[in-house]
Amino acid sequence: MDDGGTGVAQLGRVHHEGIANVSLENPLLMQTRRHFFKQCGVGLGTLALTSLLNEGRAAKEADLVNPLAPKKPHFPGKAKSVIFLFMAGGPSQLELFDHKPKLAELHGKPVPDEVIKGKRFAFMDSFTKETPKVLATRRKFDKHGQCGTYVSDCLPHIAGIVDDLAIIRSMQTNVFNHAPAKIFVNTGSPQFGRPSMGAWVTYGIGSESKDLPGFVVLQSGPRGPRGGAPNWGSGFLPTTYQGVPFRNSGEAILNLNRPAGVSEERQRQVLDAVKDLNAEHLADTGDPEIATRIASYEMAYRMQTSAPELIDLAKEDKKTLDMYGAEQGKPSFANNCLLARRLVERGVRFVQLYHTDWDHHGSGEVNLTTGLDKVCKDVDQACAALVKDLKQRGLLDSTLVVWGGEFGRTPMGEVRDSVGRNHHIEAYTMWLAGGGVKAGLSLGATDELGYTAVEDRVHVHDLQATILHLLGFDHTKLTFRFQGRDFRLTDVHGEVVKKLLA
């Protein structure tokens, strides 16, 4: 630190416990407890390290150098992996899944004051200038499947797999602005800096893939999700557990390939030397971030082969490509869904797909007519294909598929370029499939306007607890100690939704 040339280094003096002008010639005066425990020959750190060494070098390297090694959960889980299809922006449940004929009866009439009195919305000025009016949907709803579940004509392919889904119509959340709401769904807190769900899962159970990261993120749509990388970050967990964004064309990961002019043998020599140096430092300090560094270098080396093979869809037959609507070399949500299946086949534990833009306020092209049609066309066929493909390959029983966004939309219209819907936290829809979920289930209900959940309410923390339960975790016991207390994904909330379980 620059202190104008009058710092400790220049003066060679310190002020120690109120006594000034003590010479630095005696280095013991500068020792802290941390230095003592690190350097003392019979210190706690040395004793712990000696214990590890006595268990054998092979066991030590397995534990410390590969933090993503598979681990057992608290109890046998039905799911071994998760694919989270995140519809960024807040899909309108009233146009897709929550059939409300009463809206047609009341269309254009002011919403009753008692419905919105004391409530807060993302864009309050839209509703305070005048009483908002009820907005009916133009979409047609029909019952589908043996379960007789209502789905609108926006999603004909998803309507065809409703007997494999558990649809939750009574979701609730706490946060009505996009970035903090996405962070809340993914990390259990609206504040940046907490570990994401995928990070918690890989921290708890590791990964079965040796050549790919345990947690992979795929993106599509006109832009990235609001909130960005913290949605898949590791927070205070070791960084090896954070999500790794993949591209679905070109280089899967930028700067992954071996530099020009460097042979494989030479690269291996450099990596071995770096590994040895890091291993010595790890043995000296026990810092888990050094174990992460070692694992990252080795993973990157292996991924120079595995990542290009992963995104190469040439070996997929035409029937499969057509089922998804995927095209080799053309980035799309459909390609990402096919990549998600390929990732879980290769042992990746958590795959998260983000697709934008579902924010249908009625601004420009982001509207409830052509805008909704487009985004539904982007995802409908591929989502259904993913569930069917996993099922026919025997992977659906062990793969939990989750579909939904950060919140829903209001039953009242919001006037912009056209009439759209505002953000809404009191009722929205998500669905799950596979991984121990009860198929053909329709859980929860909203009031006649679709304004609030009135039956089997499922809070975001409840959904998080249930996802962890399906993987074999007691969500109250999957914790990490940080800043003096044990943190968990569900904070101090959450109950497993037992009605969702098969």
Side-chain angles (χ1 to χ4, degrees), residues 399-469:
T399 304
L400 176 63
V401 182
V402 183
W403 186 101
E406 64 266 38
F407 43 57
R409 316 302 292 197
T410 57
M412 305 85 73
E414 182 185 13
V415 180
R416 294 198 178 185
D417 299 332
S418 60
V419 180
R421 299 190 190 274
N422 204 341
H423 306 174
H424 196 50
I425 64 173
E426 299 207 22
Y428 65 106
T429 299
M430 296 184 71
W431 58 256
L432 298 85
V437 167
K438 187 178 293 183
L441 175 68
S442 190
L443 180 69
T446 57
D447 60 31
E448 61 181 2
L449 294 179
Y451 183 87
T452 191
V454 295
E455 179 184 314
D456 290 321
R457 293 179 177 87
V458 178
H459 188 270
V460 162
H461 287 309
D462 301 327
L463 178 68
Q464 293 164 342
T466 304
I467 291 172
L468 293 182
H469 177 86

Side-chain angles (χ1 to χ4, degrees), residues 98 155 195 265 280 284:
D98 205 4
L155 301 171
E265 180 182 7
E280 288 186 15
D284 187 36

